[in-house]
Amino acid sequence: MILALVFFFIFAIPIFFASWRLMLASLGVQTLVLALVTLQHAHDLRHAFAAFELGVVRGVFVPTYLAHVARSSRTASQLEVLPGNLLHWTLAFALVVGSATFAAEVSLADVPRAFDVAASASEVLIGFFILSTQKQPLGQAIGALSLENGVVFLETRGAHHLEIPVQVGIAVVFVLLVLQLGWFLRRLAAEATPPGAPATNGAGEVL
Amino acid sequence: MIELLVAAFAAPLVGVAVTFTPKGREHALWVLLAAALATTGATIGALAAGPLDAPVAFLDRYFVADALSRLLAVTISVVFLGVALYTRHRVLTAPELRPYLVAFTRLSLPFLSASLAALLGQHLVLTWVFVEATTLTAAPLICHRADGDTAVAWRYLMFSTVGLGLVFLGFVCLGIAIEGAPGETRFLVDELGAAAARPSVWRRIGLALVILGYGTKLGLAPMYAWLPETYDAAPPSVTTLLAAIQTSVVFLALMRVLQVYRPLEPELTSYELVGLGMASMVLSTVHLVAATNYKRLLAYAAMNHNAVVAVGLGIGKAAIFGVVLYLTTNALVKAILFLACGNIKARYKTKSVAELRGLVDHMPYSGALFMLGTFALLGFAPFGSFLGEVLIMGGLMEANHAVMFIAFAVLFTVVFIATGRSLFPMIWGELPSKVDWRGESAGSILPTLVPLSLLLLIGVSIPSSIDTIFEHAALAMGGAR
């Protein structure tokens, strides 16, 4: 229960600070926390690999690499992943409440599972919400990664674990996906910003 | 047979490795053609090699060679050979495209390998991994030229990430549903049955998410916006890879899931697939009526076809033979049409329907191919798509979906009229003023000749050997002849 709450708040609080650096860091910290918990219960190779993937790939590589791409593309530091107004915040809050209600419904008497499901569903739905409201590529990438983190949380907390070859396959395509996100972010920023122009928000809007 | 399939998977990867040598880089076109030919030969050999009624699992049972995967492997390798020949034709006639050849080869060959691996996969999550790999190789291909539309490729990547993310979330839920099953259960089609049979709300949620996610990857409503813009903006060779190859791969990945879960959740499967399919048919038909760009029109037609297959899959047993036939023939039809589109666009420098008239006179080869492709697209006899449509509609009646049958027939009629109204004047109409076009070389039809021959072979007679392949392919998916 505690882990689910910690996981959710690490993600939810930075949304209010309108900074892509903080958002990327929060996504990394979320998976680092998950990696530590997985490592504590690692009694076979599958758990060890899962902890490695969560900690090194998702916790360190992804935020570091994307932050490097955003900096080198001269992206302005301010980025509201959710527009800062009452309407959007109310809708986001409604998604969290909806997730909790859904979790209580499907998990019945299993309270720890209900918390896990609520945390995961909230992040997935807010990820969708970010994707549907964001016009900036970096913001959309953060939305997609939030969705990914929500799914990974539920997967890690479940009792069914995939075989090592499949886990390796998933890790490889995830790394390739992140590298490709970086490639596209660079290219989109270069197309939107002529050489010597001031910093933009990634969609060509000068800040 | 297994050796041939492994060779078909490995040949494109060897080709990619060769392009990293100076000689290979210089002769990238020949590397592309050689890899495409080797893969086609190997998949045809594998189809002819073993018995069709007994699936053969290999590599720790992560992969399986059954009738449907072998049939689709031949189909996609033939389409890829067509794409390779088209690339050769375009590079020879437009030398300014030569600088992009190495990048195209390095991305399209892994795309082919990943597609073949996904077709042969029987581990549901590993198959998902290979589908994701096809996406990751296709996204940069959409904008690999200097004039490529990066924003469209980005949106393709985002939609695909969301769609495949939903599929993975679905698998996580299906994993929760089998928690506590005795022994260790892998997500293998031939192993999952007993564990998956335990009723659980997680099974319903997981299955619904998997269908919705793969539906997004197929451009079905509600998340279909990426399909028309991507098919329109991508180079014709890449559009063909997406429309003919990737679509077949994603449908087979979905069919593998249905192989296990349809008997357990027949109503959910049927309602969701038929619902998504019918909604997509309505939307694509509305867009088709309004289309003024022939490539976008064909993109909506492709979306319409995916919707028809989804409805057929939703009906199940009675329509599966039609689905298999329709899926195979439509991959070939889309290859013919989009490659012919490439020739037309290269000649006239326009995608506007209104600006093109009399193609059969001015571009005798591409015009004729475009005409035949349009006939097949519209479901004219004797093309296989006609028989596929009839069988799916027959399945609707057999399953007592009379209202759906009527809606299907009405939508087909509107699509027929709208497509004919736009494309027939392009093919036969007269230009307002006489234009002196350069003669078209016969080399331009080479890329589409192989898919066209196969299409006619299936459509005109269905030789008993091919009929047997289709029958076994349908049976493998729980269908009936």
Side-chain angles (χ1 to χ4, degrees), chain A residues 152-165:
Chain A
V152 164
F153 179 73
L154 194 62
E155 187 206 1
T156 311
R157 301 293 290 156
H160 183 269
H161 295 285
L162 294 164
E163 311 86 283
I164 288 283

Side-chain angles (χ1 to χ4, degrees), chain B residues 133-462:
Chain B
T134 65
T135 301
L136 295 174
T137 46
L141 272 174
I142 294 166
C143 61
H144 75 288
R145 293 187 194 161
D147 60 348
D149 194 331
T150 314
V152 169
W154 170 260
R155 281 195 290 278
Y156 166 78
L157 184 64
M158 281 293 112
F159 270 100
S160 295
T161 305
V162 169
L164 292 175
L166 285 176
V167 175
F168 191 71
L169 181 59
F171 286 136
V172 171
C173 294
L174 293 175
I176 294 174
I178 60 172
E179 278 177 6
E184 190 187 332
T185 310
R186 297 191 292 172
F187 269 103
L188 292 173
V189 172
D190 63 0
E191 189 178 303
L192 203 51
R198 298 174 340 138
S200 158
V201 67
W202 289 105
R203 189 177 73 192
R204 293 176 67 79
I205 296 169
L207 185 58
L209 286 168
V210 170
I211 294 173
L212 181 65
Y214 276 139
T216 301
K217 197 76 193 80
L218 290 164
L220 298 180
M223 288 187 273
Y224 69 97
W226 67 269
L227 187 143
E229 69 167 5
T230 305
Y231 285 14
D232 184 19
S237 51
V238 179
T239 307
T240 308
L241 295 180
L242 294 174
I245 296 181
Q246 196 176 56
T247 300
S248 305
V249 167
V250 178
F251 264 121
L252 188 55
L254 177 59
M255 284 158 97
R256 293 273 179 232
V257 177
L258 297 182
Q259 243 181 304
V260 179
Y261 286 98
R262 182 207 296 281
L264 305 171
E265 297 284 357
E267 285 191 354
L268 171 74
T269 314
S270 178
Y271 288 146
E272 191 173 357
L273 278 168
V274 172
L276 290 179
M278 290 306 289
S280 309
M281 275 188 83
V282 172
L283 282 165
S284 59
T285 304
V286 170
H287 285 295
L288 252 165
V289 171
T292 55
N293 163 340
Y294 59 86
K295 207 171 167 208
R296 198 166 269 253
L297 186 146
L298 293 177
Y300 284 118
M303 180 181 159
N304 197 281
H305 286 166
N306 293 353
V308 171
V309 176
V311 171
L313 280 177
I315 300 162
K317 213 173 181 86
I320 292 293
F321 186 86
V323 165
V324 172
L325 189 61
Y326 198 70
L327 194 60
T328 314
T329 52
N330 264 298
L332 302 169
V333 172
K334 286 178 215 165
I336 294 166
L337 278 171
F338 282 116
L339 294 179
C341 264
N343 287 337
I344 295 165
K345 166 77 177 21
R347 168 70 74 90
Y348 294 96
K349 313 284 181 215
T350 179
K351 287 193 270 189
S352 164
V353 169
E355 290 174 35
L356 291 175
R357 290 292 180 267
L359 280 176
V360 280
D361 291 331
H362 300 302
M363 293 186 79
Y365 302 119
S366 296
L369 282 168
F370 193 74
M371 180 182 73
L372 289 172
T374 307
F375 287 165
L377 177 83
L378 292 174
F380 278 33
F383 295 101
S385 45
F386 166 74
L387 189 55
E389 277 171 13
V390 169
L391 288 169
I392 292 172
M393 290 180 81
L396 275 171
M397 282 309 282
E398 220 171 290
N400 293 323
H401 290 304
V403 177
M404 216 67 86
F405 176 86
I406 294 167
F408 217 74
V410 169
L411 289 169
F412 262 143
T413 310
V414 176
V415 168
F416 186 91
I417 294 168
T419 311
R421 187 196 61 176
S422 299
L423 298 189
F424 288 163
M426 268 177 68
I427 298 167
W428 293 294
E430 280 190 19
L431 276 173
S433 58
K434 206 73 184 162
V435 183
D436 182 25
W437 301 107
R438 287 175 295 134
E440 188 189 16
S441 80
S444 62
I445 60 164
L446 200 60
T448 40
L449 221 47
V450 184
L452 183 68
S453 314
L454 198 55
L455 188 66
L456 286 169
L457 187 72
I458 294 168
V460 173
S461 67
I462 308 201

Side-chain angles (χ1 to χ4, degrees), chain A residues 46 102 106 113 117 128 131 137 140 151 155 158-160 163 166 169-170 173 176-177 180-181 184 187-188 191, chain B residues 62 123 125 129 136 139-140 143 145 150 153-154 157-158 162 168 172 175-176 178-179 184-187 202:
Chain A
R46 288 184 193 189
F102 164 77
V106 298
R113 159 117 332 139
V117 173
F128 260 116
L131 271 167
Q140 289 171 352
V151 177
E155 187 206 1
H160 183 269
E163 311 86 283
V166 183
I170 293 170
V173 290
L176 291 175
L177 171 67
Q180 203 161 98
L181 288 177
F184 271 107
R187 191 163 156 154
L188 286 165
E191 284 178 9
Chain B
Y62 282 114
H123 189 290
V125 184
V129 168
L136 295 174
C143 61
R145 293 187 194 161
T150 314
W154 170 260
L157 184 64
M158 281 293 112
V162 169
F168 191 71
V172 171
I176 294 174
I178 60 172
E179 278 177 6
E184 190 187 332
T185 310
R186 297 191 292 172
F187 269 103
W202 289 105

Side-chain angles (χ1 to χ4, degrees), chain A residues 81-100:
Chain A
V81 289
L82 273 186
N85 59 57
L86 194 60
L87 175 70
H88 284 88
W89 287 357
T90 308
L91 286 172
F93 183 70
L95 290 176
V96 175
V97 173
S99 301

